[in-house]
Amino acid sequence: MSNNRVVTIALFFAIFLGSCGSTDFNSPAGGGGGTTGTPPGSQQTPLSTTTQAAQVASATAQSRELILTSTQLFKDLADIGLGHLTPSLVTTPTGTVTCGNGGSYSYSGTYTAPSTYSLALTFNGCRYRGFQFVGAYQLTGTPSNFTVSLGGGSTFNIFNFDPAYTVLLAYLKANVGYTMASSGTPPISSYAINATGSITSFDYFLLNTYGMTLNALRSSVVETASANLDLSTTLVANGGFSESWFGAGGSSTARMTFTNLTVNKTQVNAATAPATSYTTNTRSVDGRVSYAFTPGSFGYSGLFDIVTSTPIRFSSTSPLQTTQGMLTTNGTARTSYNAGSDVDIIVSNFASSVTSTVNFPREYDLMKTTDFAAMEQDKPPLIPPPAPGVPVSLPTGSTLAVTLTWVGPSGSSTSDMDLHLHYYSSPTPTAGTPKTWTVHWSGGKTCSDPAGLPFSDALDLDANGVCDTGLDFDDTNGYGPEHITDLKLLPGYYIASVNSFALPVAEQPTTLYLSLHIGDNIFGPYISMLNASDGDGSTLAAWYHVADIRVNSNGTIDVMAPDPALPPWD
């Protein structure tokens, strides 16, 4: 594989969790085939089981994704503001922009010669590179050296979707300030982002809330273009990042300090691919990682040194596919990325001459071994909606999440779509069978929210006072998301449906996009159009019957096409 078709990620950083202080390991950054070495004054923690080795490999992969995604997010937000830093602010201080994937933002500002600006932006559901922004931010300074404040006195809301905006991955609430110093004028090719502040994230795959704190997390980036329009990017990250959450084993806090995490990337033909996309084209991981890990109630504590035996190569497909790769941890454990996209964790016990191996179908499954909110870009692939009479059966599943977004014909929307989840206690209901319960916008709530889930309308299914299923996002003025989470899938029959509660003529037809998330299985996208509204009535034209789900007494689940005999309304 030629050099212009890979992204090389040379990893050399220190991660300190819990109360560990910073330490200079003074270890050389190594590329393919580097030798394992013990940091001065420290002793590497022995890895005797595949469980221990998998936990270390999981934290390593997630840390890589955390730096890539957070850097990309801050750069994207800055780019939006930079597009308005021109002297025209003197005569045109305000404006409104419609975003290409839906939503809009407004801006107003001042310009002080020769180059100082103050710009305020307010986002109304603006969708950009897989994110949806709601809230305000302030940008002050010059085009080459400015400060961004997200949220200020209020919360800046960030909805993290898949690229097609059909699956809600996480909901981020940010109060973050960061500086961006650069050389040149937009489009900026050399810059450094230094971020400090807090982000609260509800992760819809982990179903938990994570509190993240940025401690002067600095990412320096240089981009250069070649004559054939290939784009080379180098990123170096330093600084701190900590995270806390509450899990089954109690509360956990992770503190990570990065030292010279370096990312070198070449993107083929940037003219036809987004210049700031870290997931475009083939990339490879090659280098060395050293870190101390003190996770508390999860993971494996200790000092670890990871070096590359063979570079890991990822394809550009989604989910990412691996073709090769090998990492060695503390000289005894190996992480093998195989051509079939599966990952082997191999531990050699020299005392007993025994080698043990455990396999993960893909890196995403490995990441769940020691899981925290790392803003991963790689998620399970979508399963197409089942055809009539051809159900898709799952061996098990304990949770269900339904995501709805929508957009009007002009790319914007002021309409109100309502998501409904109906339940029959009978696994084989007929047209006359009464529904046992329904979750929707007007159901009310008499139970307490579970940890991390802010239900507006919810039900307690086991009478313990804690809500088990409910509506956690209700958008009444366009775009979405609307989102229902069911934490306790009971045996019976479920119907997911959408009602066009209020749809102005100017927004007709509105296109709906939905997904069903059962365990690690995502069904979708479900796509439909509505041309009428009836305020939760029973006008069939105002409803979209999305899907039916049967939970069998043995725990297996059947996802089915809608049964037209069963009404989609309450």
Side-chain angles (χ1 to χ4, degrees):
M1 183 174 293
S2 62
N3 289 335
N4 70 339
R5 294 197 56 82
V6 302
V7 182
T8 303
I9 302 179
L11 300 175
F12 179 60
F13 59 95
I15 303 177
F16 292 91
L17 306 175
S19 59
C20 295
S22 61
T23 302
D24 182 5
F25 285 155
N26 294 318
S27 299
T35 58
T36 302
T38 303
S42 304
Q43 184 175 358
Q44 294 174 5
T45 302
L47 292 166
S48 57
T49 69
T50 53
T51 298
Q52 296 167 352
Q55 290 171 343
V56 175
S58 173
T60 302
Q62 291 180 91
S63 299
R64 179 196 75 223
E65 293 299 305
L66 174 63
I67 288 297
L68 291 175
T69 308
S70 61
T71 299
Q72 184 67 63
L73 174 62
F74 294 139
K75 173 62 162 57
D76 287 347
L77 283 167
D79 281 342
I80 294 174
L82 282 174
H84 300 289
L85 296 194
T86 67
S88 64
L89 283 176
V90 175
T91 56
T92 314
T94 62
T96 300
V97 176
T98 299
C99 303
N101 291 312
S104 64
Y105 68 89
S106 59
Y107 67 93
S108 63
T110 59
Y111 169 74
T112 303
S115 60
T116 301
Y117 299 82
S118 178
L119 187 70
L121 293 92
T122 300
F123 291 86
N124 179 26
C126 176
R127 290 180 171 180
Y128 191 71
R129 299 192 191 280
F131 290 96
Q132 178 173 304
F133 305 123
V134 179
Y137 88 61
Q138 186 79 24
L139 185 154
T140 57
T142 69
S144 62
N145 195 335
F146 56 86
T147 298
V148 172
S149 177
L150 298 180
S154 59
T155 298
F156 190 81
N157 299 281
I158 305 170
F159 297 94
N160 184 12
F161 287 92
D162 70 324
Y165 294 96
T166 59
V167 180
L168 182 59
L169 306 177
Y171 169 42
L172 312 175
K173 294 184 287 185
N175 278 284
V176 174
Y178 63 92
T179 61
M180 184 167 171
S182 63
S183 61
T185 57
I188 288 175
S189 59
S190 177
Y191 57 92
I193 296 174
N194 196 328
T196 300
S198 63
I199 301 175
T200 300
S201 172
F202 184 81
D203 189 303
Y204 280 96
F205 282 77
L206 304 178
L207 293 177
N208 205 347
T209 296
Y210 297 78
M212 297 182 280
T213 302
L214 308 181
N215 303 307
L217 182 60
R218 181 181 178 87
S219 298
S220 301
V221 182
V222 176
E223 298 175 350
T224 57
S226 65
N228 62 355
L229 299 180
D230 289 351
L231 185 70
S232 297
T233 303
T234 299
L235 179 152
V236 180
N238 290 278
F241 183 95
S242 59
E243 188 168 303
S244 61
W245 65 97
F246 187 87
S251 60
S252 296
T253 300
R255 181 175 299 164
M256 294 158 268
T257 301
F258 298 91
T259 304
N260 295 335
L261 164 62
T262 303
V263 178
N264 297 306
K265 165 186 175 177
T266 298
Q267 181 178 320
V268 179
N269 199 350
T272 59
T276 55
S277 172
Y278 282 102
T279 58
T280 301
N281 299 312
T282 302
R283 60 189 174 105
S284 72
V285 177
D286 184 8
R288 182 173 186 162
V289 182
S290 296
Y291 63 84
F293 195 65
T294 311
S297 61
F298 80 107
Y300 185 53
S301 301
L303 180 67
F304 307 103
D305 189 59
I306 299 97
V307 296
T308 304
S309 304
T310 306
I312 306 167
R313 301 199 186 280
F314 295 92
S315 73
S316 60
T317 57
S318 181
L320 293 175
Q321 304 292 313
T322 55
T323 59
Q324 67 174 42
M326 179 75 74
L327 303 178
T328 301
T329 304
N330 290 3
T332 59
R334 288 167 289 161
T335 305
S336 176
Y337 288 79
N338 305 318
S341 295
D342 61 315
V343 183
D344 286 324
I345 303 297
I346 307 163
V347 174
S348 299
N349 189 320
F350 296 120
S352 61
S353 299
V354 174
T355 298
S356 303
T357 302
V358 64
N359 179 266
F360 295 87
R362 51 196 291 267
E363 190 184 51
Y364 170 75
D365 299 289
L366 171 65
M367 286 182 177
K368 293 187 298 180
T369 304
T370 303
D371 221 342
F372 51 88
M375 302 169 70
E376 297 98 329
Q377 295 297 303
D378 193 23
K379 296 298 183 184
L382 293 180
I383 301 172
V390 188
V392 175
S393 297
L394 305 175
T396 187
S398 59
T399 61
L400 167 67
V402 187
T403 304
L404 163 67
T405 62
W406 64 95
V407 65
S410 64
S412 62
S413 183
T414 58
S415 55
D416 184 6
M417 301 291 113
D418 285 331
L419 186 59
H420 293 236
L421 182 65
H422 313 281
Y423 171 72
Y424 297 90
S425 58
S426 169
T428 56
T430 62
T433 304
K435 295 180 176 69
T436 306
W437 51 255
T438 293
V439 168
H440 66 329
W441 70 275
S442 66
K445 181 179 72 173
T446 58
C447 45
S448 301
D449 290 337
L453 267 176
F455 285 135
S456 58
D457 301 270
L459 297 171
D460 176 10
L461 304 180
D462 55 9
N464 68 350
V466 179
C467 304
D468 299 302
T469 180
L471 181 69
D472 39 356
F473 288 110
D474 180 16
D475 189 337
T476 62
N477 195 34
Y479 313 119
E482 291 251 338
H483 198 277
I484 288 177
T485 302
D486 189 338
L487 300 173
K488 192 181 293 291
L489 277 180
L490 303 174
Y493 198 96
Y494 295 80
I495 290 177
S497 62
V498 178
N499 173 250
S500 176
F501 185 85
L503 181 60
V505 174
E507 299 294 341
Q508 299 178 11
T510 280
T511 304
L512 312 177
Y513 301 90
L514 294 103
S515 65
L516 303 179
H517 179 187
I518 303 173
D520 285 332
N521 303 282
I522 306 174
F523 291 81
Y526 293 85
I527 302 175
S528 186
M529 302 178 77
L530 291 177
N531 280 294
S533 58
D534 69 355
D536 283 342
S538 56
T539 303
L540 188 59
W543 287 85
Y544 173 44
H545 188 159
V546 182
D548 293 358
I549 303 111
R550 176 183 290 115
V551 180
N552 301 301
S553 58
N554 63 359
T556 60
I557 298 174
D558 300 318
V559 180
M560 302 169 290
D563 182 348
L566 299 175
W569 45 78
D570 303 341

